[in-house]
Amino acid sequence: MIAAIKPAGSNTRGLLAYLYGPGRHDEHTDPHIVASFAMLGMPDPGRDEDATLTQLARHLDEPVQLRNSEFGKKVTDHVWHCPVRAAPEDSRLSDTEWAEIAQRIVEAAGIAPAGDDLGCRWIAVRHADDHIHILATTVREDGRRPRLHDSGVRVGDACRQIEKDYGLRQLKKGDHTAGRRPTQAEMHKSERLGWEQTSRDWLQDRIRAAIPHAGSAEELLAYLEADGIAVKPRRGPSGDLLGYALGRPGDLNSHGEQIFHPGGKIAPDLTLPKLKARLETTVPEEHPTARRDQPATPWNQATDALDTLHTGMADDTHAQAHITAVGELIEATAQKAPTHLQAELRAASRAFARAQRSQIRAENQAAHTLRTAARDIAHSAMGPDGSTLVALLAALVWATVLAARWHEAKNHAHQSEAARQTLHHLRNAADHALTPVLDSLATRQPNEQARRALVHDVRAAVPDHAERIIEDPAWPSLATALADAEAGGHTPRQLLKEAAAQRELTTARQPARVLITRIQHTSRNPAPNLRAEAARRRSTMGAQPFSQPRRPSPGSTYATPGDLRRRVRR
């Protein structure tokens, strides 16, 4: 059940005309009062032919007019309006049930506190099966104004309890991090202009798309302005940037003037101070043990950064920073991915925006590596190859799983739900990207003897998941990936252990597919010299009774050095 308190108004009769009217699309049927501050003698134009809207408005406005005459100063914005809507799947509530719900809402809001006979005047009008509108005038019978501070929070809490009491769909409790819902006026304007999104939603997408391209707030605004967005910075006398507002091209008011939206009203995490904290963090010194044998592609660097994400989730401020940076990485990946994957990845980025923000302050410098990887991808001139993209998408899937688990542990209901929605889109993209890689690997499987040896390696390295891996339809492709790695000097058993340690397999839908991406990413590095030399010596010793074999492809029926090594062991 959603109770959405609207901005205060000053025209009681005007709102009544809408509530008792046909609606914008003739959707209002049988408007009538189901509850009020005093039902006896209440004029109801929906049930009494002699009652008029003007009469009802005067009845509700009496305390307002009395206060105006006594104080000599007109009360403004005295109309409180709160639609209360049930979910589409909820059972139809009776007028009596809606009346009880309305009473609980006005009590929670402070409009008419329980046991207070001098509260504000209010009515609840029903003109549809699934919702009511509560209208109140915010002057009490004793002339005082009601205390409505944080009324939205109290009303939200009341709705959660009402859902339980009436067996309705139970929504998650808010935490003040959600963005503002589009108003009816915004939605109707978008529909009239043929826009798929309201202006604020459209601007939010453009800002999030620009963040990976910017290293400061000034750069971000310059990037947005170059993209055709109207930018209105607010500066101090020194020229320092103090705030900003953005306007969508073509979004004009009745006077033909550009409409601007402040960053904080576009989304809670897009205020100037929060953007500065994300974009202008200092660069940490490189750790002396940082790996230097990695290829210089930003895609591999991003995957490497995600591989260590779990180590940064222990501290809450670091975890929040890493989750925010993961969102930037998803957005950057969506911009550079192949066209056939962009729809799913953009949907993932849009869904993860809700998972990026919570009440926990982020220590943004902790996520500098991830954020740098996102910017490098955004500025990359070339896209990734198939296996590199698959490895990154698989790492993003696992990062999203970790984000969902962290939010669940912190009771961040909305954020964990957003992470789960993101996971759906990322998995779809990863599956599409992996298909050609699997097909390529499956066409050149190692011979039967090598496959049997690899089965033995799987059972020794990951015994708890061995049968699921071997029965996975992607097992033939995994066997080829392991044979390729072994031909490069790696030990399959060690690679399997490392891959299983980086990503637990219990929750993996198809463990062989997960292992393929991890093993291909890890084995791209040259094997340590000592290990390769030892493997070469063993292969040479095992090959002494035979002529020197030439190195075949993994799909060949010739024995590989690994095959010869296994023969010697037997």
Side-chain angles (χ1 to χ4, degrees):
M1 177 166 286
I2 296 175
I5 299 175
K6 302 296 184 180
S10 57
N11 188 347
T12 305
R13 186 169 182 315
L15 180 55
L16 287 173
Y18 167 73
L19 299 182
Y20 279 91
R24 294 183 176 89
H25 304 284
D26 295 323
E27 71 274 20
H28 296 174
T29 58
D30 188 24
H32 60 281
I33 295 174
V34 294
S36 72
F37 72 99
M39 291 296 286
L40 186 62
M42 177 66 63
D44 182 3
R47 289 288 184 268
D48 184 356
E49 294 182 357
D50 296 328
T52 64
L53 296 178
T54 300
Q55 183 183 7
L56 177 56
R58 288 174 177 171
H59 190 56
L60 293 170
D61 280 339
E62 281 182 6
V64 179
Q65 298 302 327
L66 182 60
R67 180 186 170 103
N68 289 345
S69 62
E70 289 183 353
F71 284 83
K73 184 178 180 181
K74 185 177 181 180
V75 176
T76 59
D77 297 335
H78 65 277
V79 180
W80 188 85
H81 177 207
C82 179
V84 185
R85 185 179 299 273
E89 64 268 29
D90 287 336
S91 59
R92 186 178 185 276
L93 298 172
S94 66
D95 280 1
T96 301
E97 290 171 321
W98 275 119
E100 294 169 351
I101 291 170
Q103 184 69 51
R104 293 170 66 166
I105 295 294
V106 295
E107 288 179 0
I111 292 294
D116 186 351
D117 295 333
L118 300 178
C120 300
R121 297 191 175 189
W122 62 274
I123 59 171
V125 176
R126 181 178 188 179
H127 56 207
D129 288 342
D130 62 349
H131 71 277
I132 59 172
H133 290 258
I134 303 175
L135 183 158
T137 51
T138 55
V139 174
R140 292 165 47 87
E141 296 289 354
D142 56 11
R144 295 185 293 119
R145 303 298 299 271
R147 296 180 179 179
L148 300 179
H149 180 68
D150 285 339
S151 60
V153 177
R154 297 192 299 273
V155 167
D157 292 341
C159 286
R160 303 295 80 78
Q161 187 59 47
I162 289 169
E163 291 161 358
K164 294 178 181 178
D165 295 344
Y166 286 83
L168 305 176
R169 176 187 175 188
Q170 295 187 24
L171 302 181
K172 297 173 177 63
K173 186 176 180 179
D175 61 356
H176 305 286
T177 63
R180 295 189 177 191
R181 290 189 180 90
T183 65
Q184 289 286 339
E186 288 176 321
M187 290 189 290
H188 287 309
K189 184 174 187 177
S190 298
E191 183 180 348
R192 186 174 68 253
L193 295 176
W195 292 343
E196 294 183 359
Q197 293 176 290
T198 63
S199 290
R200 284 190 291 120
D201 287 343
W202 186 86
L203 290 169
Q204 180 179 174
D205 284 352
R206 295 305 179 278
I207 296 173
R208 297 196 189 282
I211 286 174
H213 295 269
S216 67
E218 293 282 8
E219 286 184 17
L220 178 68
L221 295 184
Y223 185 93
L224 292 169
E225 191 168 25
D227 198 32
I229 295 171
V231 177
K232 184 179 181 182
R234 181 167 58 86
R235 301 186 182 276
S238 63
D240 292 341
L241 186 63
L242 303 179
Y244 76 98
L246 301 179
R248 180 179 187 175
D251 187 11
L252 310 176
N253 61 19
S254 57
H255 301 290
E257 301 167 335
Q258 177 70 59
I259 296 175
F260 287 93
H261 301 271
K265 291 187 177 180
I266 295 172
D269 60 331
L270 298 182
T271 62
L272 181 64
K274 291 182 179 179
L275 285 174
K276 282 186 172 182
R278 288 168 64 175
L279 297 172
E280 300 173 8
T281 53
T282 57
V283 180
E285 294 183 2
E286 185 179 25
H287 195 277
T289 60
R291 298 177 65 178
R292 300 180 184 276
D293 60 342
Q294 306 290 340
T297 67
W299 307 92
N300 287 331
Q301 292 171 353
T303 305
D304 291 336
L306 290 170
D307 284 345
T308 61
L309 181 63
H310 63 280
T311 62
M313 301 295 284
D315 180 272
D316 285 350
T317 59
H318 289 191
Q320 180 59 60
H322 280 99
I323 290 172
T324 303
V326 167
E328 296 176 19
L329 187 53
I330 294 173
E331 174 59 38
T333 304
Q335 295 178 22
K336 295 295 183 175
T339 304
H340 68 283
L341 299 178
Q342 287 185 359
E344 286 285 6
L345 290 173
R346 290 193 184 282
S349 178
R350 193 172 292 115
F352 201 73
R354 185 68 178 88
Q356 285 181 268
R357 54 183 184 259
S358 74
Q359 291 284 19
I360 295 176
R361 180 186 62 83
E363 183 57 57
N364 289 289
Q365 184 170 330
H368 178 80
T369 303
L370 269 180
R371 188 161 286 114
T372 299
R375 291 175 186 172
D376 288 345
I377 286 176
H379 291 94
S380 176
M382 297 179 62
D385 60 49
S387 61
T388 302
L389 177 60
V390 165
L392 176 57
L393 292 179
L396 284 172
V397 166
W398 180 234
T400 306
V401 170
L402 292 177
R405 290 179 179 177
W406 183 78
H407 280 309
E408 288 171 0
K410 300 300 174 184
N411 295 318
H412 299 163
H414 294 278
Q415 290 87 342
S416 60
E417 175 61 27
R420 284 191 289 270
Q421 293 174 7
T422 304
L423 198 57
H424 169 75
H425 295 295
L426 285 177
R427 279 176 170 161
N428 285 344
D431 287 345
H432 288 310
L434 185 58
T435 298
V437 175
L438 292 178
D439 293 343
S440 175
L441 291 170
T443 58
R444 51 187 188 87
Q445 300 178 42
N447 59 44
E448 181 62 28
Q449 184 179 5
R451 289 202 301 272
R452 286 198 299 268
L454 291 171
V455 167
H456 180 73
D457 286 337
V458 170
R459 287 180 172 142
V462 280
D464 294 339
H465 305 283
E467 298 310 315
R468 290 180 60 221
I469 294 170
I470 296 167
E471 294 172 1
D472 191 322
W475 161 245
S477 299
L478 174 58
T480 304
L482 289 168
D484 287 347
E486 187 173 28
H490 294 272
T491 304
R493 189 173 302 184
Q494 183 62 29
L495 285 175
L496 286 164
K497 288 181 179 179
E498 291 176 2
Q502 289 172 337
R503 202 292 197 198
E504 57 88 6
L505 300 177
T506 302
T507 58
R509 297 175 302 165
Q510 295 176 289
R513 295 164 71 99
V514 171
L515 291 172
I516 288 171
T517 60
R518 299 303 323 146
I519 287 168
Q520 284 194 322
H521 179 70
T522 304
S523 63
R524 78 186 192 280
N525 297 312
N529 291 335
L530 291 177
R531 182 192 304 168
E533 179 61 24
R536 187 191 63 78
R537 286 201 304 269
R538 287 195 298 271
S539 298
T540 302
M541 291 174 60
Q544 285 177 355
F546 310 92
S547 61
Q548 182 67 26
R550 60 186 176 90
R551 185 178 297 277
S553 65
S556 172
T557 58
Y558 291 97
T560 65
D563 297 333
L564 297 176
R565 172 168 53 83
R566 294 186 180 92
R567 292 174 185 170
V568 171
R569 288 177 181 174
R570 291 194 289 271

